Amino acid sequence: MIIVLFGKPGAGKGTQAPLLAAALGVPTLATGDELRAAIRAGTPLGLEAKAFMDRGDLVPDSVILGIIKHALSEPRAANGVLLDGVVRTIPQAEGLARVCAELGRQVDAVLFFDIDDEEIVRRLASRTVCEICQSPYTGLEPGSACEKDGGRLVRRKDDEPEAIRNRLVVYERQTAPVLNWYREHGTRVAVIDAVGSVQDVTARALGALVG
Ligand SMILES: [Zn+2]
């Protein structure tokens, strides 16, 4: 069971991923985590990735996909995985399909967390993080104090309304077409209403996978 988590920035994928992973008893593979782990472990692909990053370049898809392929072939992924942030463009979807085929597997479903742009702007604008421990908060103004360590809460630059709109434009141009790519290639795309409480959205996602 290989499931691709999909949605606009701010749709709540990152919140849902660990909850769904726990409910399904499978791990989440997130591109950023796997990349950092490969670099820490000093694997050949990790070193290759680090060389790009040290030069200030983006790590190319071929290297990322190699790292994901390695992770998919590990015992922890034998029963299935949730892929978070792995597929953001059509070339990445094609690359992942190739990697899965090489392993004798396939993407079984795409969970699309659906939410409209204005809700995202509203949601992210109400999000702050602690300057010290990076804990996320919702509904506390910048300048408030972190409950854990008293650190100052700040709004991430990425979460400013203008930055969000730019990310949404990039999403529409590069990422949204991936959904149709999956539909055209016969992969089930489950559309999940991502507006509501965290528990409700988790329940909808699990219901869609079972149903
Ligand atoms: Zn803190």
PDB file of all heavy atoms in Angstrom, residues 46-65:
ATOM      1  N   GLY A  46      23.346  10.401  -0.425  1.00  0.00           N
ATOM      2  CA  GLY A  46      23.349  11.492   0.542  1.00  0.00           C
ATOM      3  C   GLY A  46      24.496  12.457   0.266  1.00  0.00           C
ATOM      4  O   GLY A  46      24.327  13.680   0.319  1.00  0.00           O
ATOM      5  N   LEU A  47      25.661  11.909  -0.034  1.00  0.00           N
ATOM      6  CA  LEU A  47      26.825  12.752  -0.337  1.00  0.00           C
ATOM      7  C   LEU A  47      26.600  13.544  -1.615  1.00  0.00           C
ATOM      8  O   LEU A  47      26.976  14.719  -1.713  1.00  0.00           O
ATOM      9  CB  LEU A  47      28.087  11.887  -0.464  1.00  0.00           C
ATOM     10  CG  LEU A  47      28.545  11.197   0.830  1.00  0.00           C
ATOM     11  CD1 LEU A  47      29.732  10.274   0.552  1.00  0.00           C
ATOM     12  CD2 LEU A  47      28.908  12.228   1.901  1.00  0.00           C
ATOM     13  N   GLU A  48      25.964  12.875  -2.593  1.00  0.00           N
ATOM     14  CA  GLU A  48      25.672  13.564  -3.849  1.00  0.00           C
ATOM     15  C   GLU A  48      24.715  14.733  -3.590  1.00  0.00           C
ATOM     16  O   GLU A  48      24.910  15.842  -4.089  1.00  0.00           O
ATOM     17  CB  GLU A  48      25.035  12.560  -4.825  1.00  0.00           C
ATOM     18  CG  GLU A  48      25.335  12.849  -6.273  1.00  0.00           C
ATOM     19  CD  GLU A  48      24.691  11.816  -7.197  1.00  0.00           C
ATOM     20  OE1 GLU A  48      24.746  10.598  -6.867  1.00  0.00           O
ATOM     21  OE2 GLU A  48      24.141  12.227  -8.213  1.00  0.00           O
ATOM     22  N   ALA A  49      23.681  14.461  -2.775  1.00  0.00           N
ATOM     23  CA  ALA A  49      22.709  15.512  -2.451  1.00  0.00           C
ATOM     24  C   ALA A  49      23.393  16.667  -1.739  1.00  0.00           C
ATOM     25  O   ALA A  49      23.148  17.837  -2.025  1.00  0.00           O
ATOM     26  CB  ALA A  49      21.593  14.940  -1.583  1.00  0.00           C
ATOM     27  N   LYS A  50      24.283  16.330  -0.803  1.00  0.00           N
ATOM     28  CA  LYS A  50      24.956  17.359  -0.015  1.00  0.00           C
ATOM     29  C   LYS A  50      25.811  18.259  -0.904  1.00  0.00           C
ATOM     30  O   LYS A  50      25.880  19.467  -0.691  1.00  0.00           O
ATOM     31  CB  LYS A  50      25.820  16.698   1.061  1.00  0.00           C
ATOM     32  CG  LYS A  50      26.416  17.701   2.043  1.00  0.00           C
ATOM     33  CD  LYS A  50      27.092  17.008   3.210  1.00  0.00           C
ATOM     34  CE  LYS A  50      27.644  18.022   4.204  1.00  0.00           C
ATOM     35  NZ  LYS A  50      28.584  18.988   3.619  1.00  0.00           N
ATOM     36  N   ALA A  51      26.435  17.643  -1.921  1.00  0.00           N
ATOM     37  CA  ALA A  51      27.276  18.430  -2.830  1.00  0.00           C
ATOM     38  C   ALA A  51      26.440  19.491  -3.542  1.00  0.00           C
ATOM     39  O   ALA A  51      26.873  20.642  -3.697  1.00  0.00           O
ATOM     40  CB  ALA A  51      27.969  17.513  -3.842  1.00  0.00           C
ATOM     41  N   PHE A  52      25.220  19.112  -3.978  1.00  0.00           N
ATOM     42  CA  PHE A  52      24.341  20.101  -4.615  1.00  0.00           C
ATOM     43  C   PHE A  52      23.969  21.199  -3.619  1.00  0.00           C
ATOM     44  O   PHE A  52      24.014  22.385  -3.945  1.00  0.00           O
ATOM     45  CB  PHE A  52      23.065  19.426  -5.139  1.00  0.00           C
ATOM     46  CG  PHE A  52      23.280  18.664  -6.414  1.00  0.00           C
ATOM     47  CD1 PHE A  52      23.423  17.285  -6.399  1.00  0.00           C
ATOM     48  CD2 PHE A  52      23.348  19.337  -7.634  1.00  0.00           C
ATOM     49  CE1 PHE A  52      23.635  16.582  -7.579  1.00  0.00           C
ATOM     50  CE2 PHE A  52      23.554  18.636  -8.820  1.00  0.00           C
ATOM     51  CZ  PHE A  52      23.702  17.250  -8.787  1.00  0.00           C
ATOM     52  N   MET A  53      23.598  20.777  -2.390  1.00  0.00           N
ATOM     53  CA  MET A  53      23.150  21.763  -1.405  1.00  0.00           C
ATOM     54  C   MET A  53      24.279  22.704  -1.013  1.00  0.00           C
ATOM     55  O   MET A  53      24.066  23.899  -0.836  1.00  0.00           O
ATOM     56  CB  MET A  53      22.577  21.039  -0.181  1.00  0.00           C
ATOM     57  CG  MET A  53      21.252  20.356  -0.511  1.00  0.00           C
ATOM     58  SD  MET A  53      20.776  19.093   0.681  1.00  0.00           S
ATOM     59  CE  MET A  53      20.248  20.118   2.029  1.00  0.00           C
ATOM     60  N   ASP A  54      25.494  22.158  -0.888  1.00  0.00           N
ATOM     61  CA  ASP A  54      26.640  22.992  -0.513  1.00  0.00           C
ATOM     62  C   ASP A  54      26.918  24.058  -1.569  1.00  0.00           C
ATOM     63  O   ASP A  54      27.449  25.122  -1.270  1.00  0.00           O
ATOM     64  CB  ASP A  54      27.898  22.131  -0.305  1.00  0.00           C
ATOM     65  CG  ASP A  54      27.823  21.348   0.999  1.00  0.00           C
ATOM     66  OD1 ASP A  54      26.930  21.662   1.824  1.00  0.00           O
ATOM     67  OD2 ASP A  54      28.616  20.415   1.183  1.00  0.00           O
ATOM     68  N   ARG A  55      26.580  23.743  -2.830  1.00  0.00           N
ATOM     69  CA  ARG A  55      26.770  24.731  -3.903  1.00  0.00           C
ATOM     70  C   ARG A  55      25.587  25.689  -3.992  1.00  0.00           C
ATOM     71  O   ARG A  55      25.559  26.568  -4.848  1.00  0.00           O
ATOM     72  CB  ARG A  55      26.927  24.016  -5.259  1.00  0.00           C
ATOM     73  CG  ARG A  55      28.231  23.271  -5.423  1.00  0.00           C
ATOM     74  CD  ARG A  55      28.518  22.969  -6.897  1.00  0.00           C
ATOM     75  NE  ARG A  55      27.495  22.148  -7.523  1.00  0.00           N
ATOM     76  CZ  ARG A  55      27.534  20.812  -7.544  1.00  0.00           C
ATOM     77  NH1 ARG A  55      28.521  20.161  -6.985  1.00  0.00           N
ATOM     78  NH2 ARG A  55      26.573  20.149  -8.133  1.00  0.00           N
ATOM     79  N   GLY A  56      24.569  25.450  -3.136  1.00  0.00           N
ATOM     80  CA  GLY A  56      23.378  26.297  -3.170  1.00  0.00           C
ATOM     81  C   GLY A  56      22.413  25.896  -4.264  1.00  0.00           C
ATOM     82  O   GLY A  56      21.511  26.664  -4.613  1.00  0.00           O
ATOM     83  N   ASP A  57      22.589  24.685  -4.825  1.00  0.00           N
ATOM     84  CA  ASP A  57      21.696  24.217  -5.891  1.00  0.00           C
ATOM     85  C   ASP A  57      20.589  23.336  -5.312  1.00  0.00           C
ATOM     86  O   ASP A  57      20.748  22.733  -4.251  1.00  0.00           O
ATOM     87  CB  ASP A  57      22.484  23.396  -6.926  1.00  0.00           C
ATOM     88  CG  ASP A  57      23.439  24.255  -7.733  1.00  0.00           C
ATOM     89  OD1 ASP A  57      23.141  25.455  -7.897  1.00  0.00           O
ATOM     90  OD2 ASP A  57      24.467  23.732  -8.186  1.00  0.00           O
ATOM     91  N   LEU A  58      19.489  23.251  -6.055  1.00  0.00           N
ATOM     92  CA  LEU A  58      18.431  22.297  -5.707  1.00  0.00           C
ATOM     93  C   LEU A  58      18.951  20.881  -5.954  1.00  0.00           C
ATOM     94  O   LEU A  58      19.695  20.645  -6.903  1.00  0.00           O
ATOM     95  CB  LEU A  58      17.200  22.516  -6.580  1.00  0.00           C
ATOM     96  CG  LEU A  58      16.321  23.716  -6.238  1.00  0.00           C
ATOM     97  CD1 LEU A  58      15.184  23.813  -7.251  1.00  0.00           C
ATOM     98  CD2 LEU A  58      15.766  23.595  -4.829  1.00  0.00           C
ATOM     99  N   VAL A  59      18.553  19.970  -5.088  1.00  0.00           N
ATOM    100  CA  VAL A  59      18.907  18.569  -5.299  1.00  0.00           C
ATOM    101  C   VAL A  59      18.025  18.042  -6.427  1.00  0.00           C
ATOM    102  O   VAL A  59      16.806  18.161  -6.369  1.00  0.00           O
ATOM    103  CB  VAL A  59      18.687  17.744  -4.019  1.00  0.00           C
ATOM    104  CG1 VAL A  59      19.085  16.301  -4.246  1.00  0.00           C
ATOM    105  CG2 VAL A  59      19.461  18.350  -2.855  1.00  0.00           C
ATOM    106  N   PRO A  60      18.634  17.491  -7.505  1.00  0.00           N
ATOM    107  CA  PRO A  60      17.806  17.074  -8.648  1.00  0.00           C
ATOM    108  C   PRO A  60      16.896  15.882  -8.314  1.00  0.00           C
ATOM    109  O   PRO A  60      17.186  15.100  -7.408  1.00  0.00           O
ATOM    110  CB  PRO A  60      18.830  16.683  -9.722  1.00  0.00           C
ATOM    111  CG  PRO A  60      20.127  16.567  -9.044  1.00  0.00           C
ATOM    112  CD  PRO A  60      20.055  17.295  -7.734  1.00  0.00           C
ATOM    113  N   ASP A  61      15.807  15.789  -9.088  1.00  0.00           N
ATOM    114  CA  ASP A  61      14.835  14.713  -8.880  1.00  0.00           C
ATOM    115  C   ASP A  61      15.492  13.333  -8.881  1.00  0.00           C
ATOM    116  O   ASP A  61      15.097  12.457  -8.120  1.00  0.00           O
ATOM    117  CB  ASP A  61      13.776  14.739  -9.991  1.00  0.00           C
ATOM    118  CG  ASP A  61      12.761  15.871  -9.786  1.00  0.00           C
ATOM    119  OD1 ASP A  61      12.820  16.543  -8.739  1.00  0.00           O
ATOM    120  OD2 ASP A  61      11.914  16.050 -10.677  1.00  0.00           O
ATOM    121  N   SER A  62      16.485  13.142  -9.771  1.00  0.00           N
ATOM    122  CA  SER A  62      17.085  11.812  -9.885  1.00  0.00           C
ATOM    123  C   SER A  62      17.700  11.372  -8.556  1.00  0.00           C
ATOM    124  O   SER A  62      17.592  10.202  -8.163  1.00  0.00           O
ATOM    125  CB  SER A  62      18.150  11.796 -10.993  1.00  0.00           C
ATOM    126  OG  SER A  62      19.130  12.774 -10.706  1.00  0.00           O
ATOM    127  N   VAL A  63      18.315  12.315  -7.843  1.00  0.00           N
ATOM    128  CA  VAL A  63      18.944  11.986  -6.559  1.00  0.00           C
ATOM    129  C   VAL A  63      17.865  11.743  -5.492  1.00  0.00           C
ATOM    130  O   VAL A  63      17.921  10.767  -4.743  1.00  0.00           O
ATOM    131  CB  VAL A  63      19.908  13.116  -6.122  1.00  0.00           C
ATOM    132  CG1 VAL A  63      20.454  12.856  -4.726  1.00  0.00           C
ATOM    133  CG2 VAL A  63      21.035  13.260  -7.132  1.00  0.00           C
ATOM    134  N   ILE A  64      16.865  12.623  -5.459  1.00  0.00           N
ATOM    135  CA  ILE A  64      15.750  12.464  -4.491  1.00  0.00           C
ATOM    136  C   ILE A  64      15.068  11.118  -4.708  1.00  0.00           C
ATOM    137  O   ILE A  64      14.793  10.375  -3.752  1.00  0.00           O
ATOM    138  CB  ILE A  64      14.714  13.590  -4.674  1.00  0.00           C
ATOM    139  CG1 ILE A  64      15.350  14.956  -4.499  1.00  0.00           C
ATOM    140  CG2 ILE A  64      13.508  13.367  -3.743  1.00  0.00           C
ATOM    141  CD1 ILE A  64      15.409  15.475  -3.107  1.00  0.00           C
ATOM    142  N   LEU A  65      14.797  10.800  -5.969  1.00  0.00           N
ATOM    143  CA  LEU A  65      14.092   9.541  -6.260  1.00  0.00           C
ATOM    144  C   LEU A  65      14.940   8.336  -5.880  1.00  0.00           C
ATOM    145  O   LEU A  65      14.416   7.313  -5.433  1.00  0.00           O
ATOM    146  CB  LEU A  65      13.692   9.482  -7.737  1.00  0.00           C
ATOM    147  CG  LEU A  65      12.476  10.354  -8.086  1.00  0.00           C
ATOM    148  CD1 LEU A  65      12.364  10.547  -9.588  1.00  0.00           C
ATOM    149  CD2 LEU A  65      11.189   9.742  -7.518  1.00  0.00           C
TER     150      LEU A  65
END
